[in-house]
Amino acid sequence: GAASILVSLTLFSFVSAGTGYASAIITGIIEETGKAIIIAWFVKDVKHKKFLLAGMLIGSAVGAGFAAFETAGYILRYGMSGGKDLMFDVLISRAILAPGGHVIWGAILGGTLMLVKKDALLSSAHLFDKRFISFYILCVAMHSIWDMPIKVQHSLVQVAMTVCAWIIALVLINVGLKEVSRAGNSQIEN
């Protein structure tokens, strides 16, 4: 997680995020790319990590670390500028919304990367596989929408993105369970 924050901060140094909708889109692209790079690093040359569910676990761990460091930064910033009450408001808000953010997006990225990689060594072909790219774009879109200044009660957008992310994750979990079941059945037959 710390490494993905560092990668994201490095990428941010090359781009001016600005404000509003453009900022939300740039943030989504950069932060999801930062997590994807670190997830790929963890699975790049390990052949025994071949199951989609293992990728989801790795991705969620990277996402959780990212979220923890990002939240710590927000707490520090708002605590210094707005005092203890604002700091606690930020902490509570981020805790309530945590199941729909970086953790689940990281799980989706990790799972789909393992889905395309299987037991091969990771190559650029896997990163440019249309299935991985499709889910990467979905994560960027959910993240971007999450951050956009949409004129509705703010948490409704996050709740909608949480539901979308969890539907995608549950479908991936189902695929992963079938994958593990098939692998177990083939070992029994052998």
Side-chain angles (χ1 to χ4, degrees):
S4 63
I5 285 278
L6 291 174
V7 169
S8 295
L9 290 173
T10 301
L11 294 173
F12 274 120
S13 72
F14 296 108
V15 178
S16 173
T19 59
Y21 290 94
S23 173
I25 293 167
I26 291 168
T27 298
I29 292 168
I30 288 176
E31 291 185 0
E32 294 311 309
T33 300
K35 288 190 301 236
I37 289 169
I38 299 305
I39 292 166
W41 184 78
F42 273 105
V43 303
K44 69 180 180 338
D45 58 0
V46 183
K47 292 181 81 167
H48 69 277
K49 293 178 186 170
K50 62 182 179 180
F51 293 110
L52 184 150
L53 295 176
M56 290 186 81
L57 179 63
I58 291 165
S60 63
V62 170
F66 187 102
F69 281 101
E70 184 181 61
T71 298
Y74 282 131
I75 290 169
L76 178 64
R77 181 181 343 156
Y78 287 106
M80 291 176 73
S81 67
K84 179 178 68 171
D85 290 339
L86 183 57
M87 180 179 72
F88 284 122
D89 288 347
V90 169
L91 177 61
I92 290 168
S93 171
R94 295 212 32 114
I96 290 169
L97 295 172
H102 291 293
V103 177
I104 197 69
W105 300 326
I108 292 167
L109 290 172
T112 55
L113 187 56
M114 292 301 282
L115 180 70
V116 300
K117 175 187 139 348
K118 303 226 182 279
D119 61 352
L121 298 177
L122 185 68
S123 72
S124 61
H126 298 122
L127 296 171
F128 292 102
D129 183 285
K130 66 181 177 183
R131 294 168 294 174
F132 178 72
I133 293 292
S134 296
F135 283 94
Y136 167 81
I137 290 169
L138 276 171
C139 289
V140 167
M142 287 184 288
H143 190 153
S144 298
I145 293 167
W146 182 286
D147 288 347
M148 287 180 179
I150 297 172
K151 301 285 187 212
V152 296
Q153 184 175 349
H154 190 66
S155 61
L156 290 178
V157 172
Q158 284 75 23
V159 168
M161 291 302 98
T162 298
V163 169
C164 290
W166 273 97
I167 289 170
I168 294 165
L170 289 171
V171 169
L172 287 172
I173 289 169
N174 188 42
V175 170
L177 290 172
K178 288 178 183 175
E179 180 184 56
V180 170
S181 178
R182 281 192 304 273
N185 289 339
S186 71
Q187 283 186 347
I188 291 171
E189 292 170 5
N190 292 334

